Amino acid sequence: TLVAIANSPDGEHVAAGCLDGSVAVYRSISGELVERLQASGRAAADEPTLCVAYSPDGRRIATGNAAGCISIWDAVLGTCLDVWEAHAGYVLSLAFGGTDGQLLASGGQDQCVRVWSASPSATLQLGCQQRVLYNVVTGLGGPVLSLRFNGDGNRIYTGLYAGGRVVLKRESEHSTGRFCLRDWTEGREADEVELEVRTATQLWPSRRSAIGH
């Protein structure tokens, strides 16, 4: 059973998140199954894959699952490059942004948007133990079902389960991954969201402790 889909930037492939936790990659025109990405270990293989996103160059696929984990895959080789615990509850939405997809925004059941480092070098060299979390915006009023960066990567548009819409604006042109809340309707910028850069393991030493709160 397919739960979520994403088209590759060149339109050649479609990646589909499945209820069994795998990701099936198909050729767009023929529908031929090219490969099946199967999570294991930290990625909780038996948890449904709820969201899928391609990087702008089409070489990486990000997936989020019902265990709160994000995985980064090599779209060419089909190997898992990185996996980390990202949200307390389901990961419901993902989007790459920034130059060459250096940022990855995730939206969760926990009513948060998180912005992570996602450059190819960070994915290959840092690994899940050093995954950098740039920014957290909390209390958005409902689970974050969808999100997208705008063209220049300075805003993140989100859609909420409760029906609301929120815009997150980059704090300055020099801030790599820090965003602050901007009111959708009136265009008023809320108080700046203060958060120092931390690693995923500093924020969530174990999934049990994260989910338990």
Side-chain angles (χ1 to χ4, degrees):
T1 302
L2 305 184
V3 180
I5 61 172
N7 292 311
S8 63
D10 62 7
E12 294 292 323
H13 298 95
V14 175
C18 302
L19 199 61
D20 65 1
S22 67
V23 179
V25 180
Y26 301 93
R27 298 193 191 281
S28 298
I29 296 178
S30 67
E32 174 191 358
L33 178 65
V34 178
E35 61 184 344
R36 186 174 293 275
L37 312 177
Q38 188 67 58
S40 61
R42 289 171 57 87
D46 58 343
E47 296 286 352
T49 298
L50 302 179
C51 50
V52 184
Y54 271 94
S55 63
D57 61 6
R59 297 184 62 84
R60 290 168 293 150
I61 299 172
T63 63
N65 71 9
C69 291
I70 293 175
S71 299
I72 304 290
W73 304 84
D74 186 312
V76 178
L77 301 177
T79 55
C80 185
L81 301 174
D82 196 2
V83 56
W84 69 97
E85 296 160 358
H87 287 267
Y90 300 165
V91 181
L92 297 172
S93 51
L94 291 167
F96 282 94
T99 305
D100 298 326
Q102 65 181 350
L103 301 176
L104 178 68
S106 62
Q109 183 186 19
D110 54 6
Q111 305 182 27
C112 295
V113 170
R114 292 182 164 90
V115 183
W116 310 86
S117 62
S119 66
S121 60
T123 299
L124 294 174
Q125 297 174 16
L126 295 179
C128 59
Q129 296 301 316
Q130 295 295 322
R131 173 60 51 188
V132 175
L133 174 64
Y134 285 122
N135 200 181
V136 177
V137 181
T138 62
L140 295 181
V144 183
L145 299 184
S146 61
L147 50 77
R148 289 290 184 273
F149 283 88
N150 70 335
D152 60 14
N154 287 326
R155 285 178 171 80
I156 302 172
Y157 300 94
T158 73
L160 307 179
Y161 178 79
R165 297 172 294 179
V166 173
V167 179
L168 308 179
K169 181 183 177 183
R170 191 189 297 272
E171 292 177 4
S172 75
E173 62 181 24
H174 303 296
S175 63
T176 301
R178 289 183 55 78
F179 290 77
C180 60
L181 187 64
R182 183 178 179 86
D183 183 84
W184 174 277
T185 304
E186 300 180 21
R188 293 180 290 104
E189 292 187 15
D191 293 337
E192 183 177 299
V193 177
E194 293 290 346
L195 183 76
E196 63 184 87
V197 174
R198 304 180 184 178
T199 64
T201 51
Q202 287 175 320
L203 287 167
W204 298 281
S206 69
R207 176 170 176 260
R208 177 176 297 178
S209 63
I211 303 298
H213 289 295

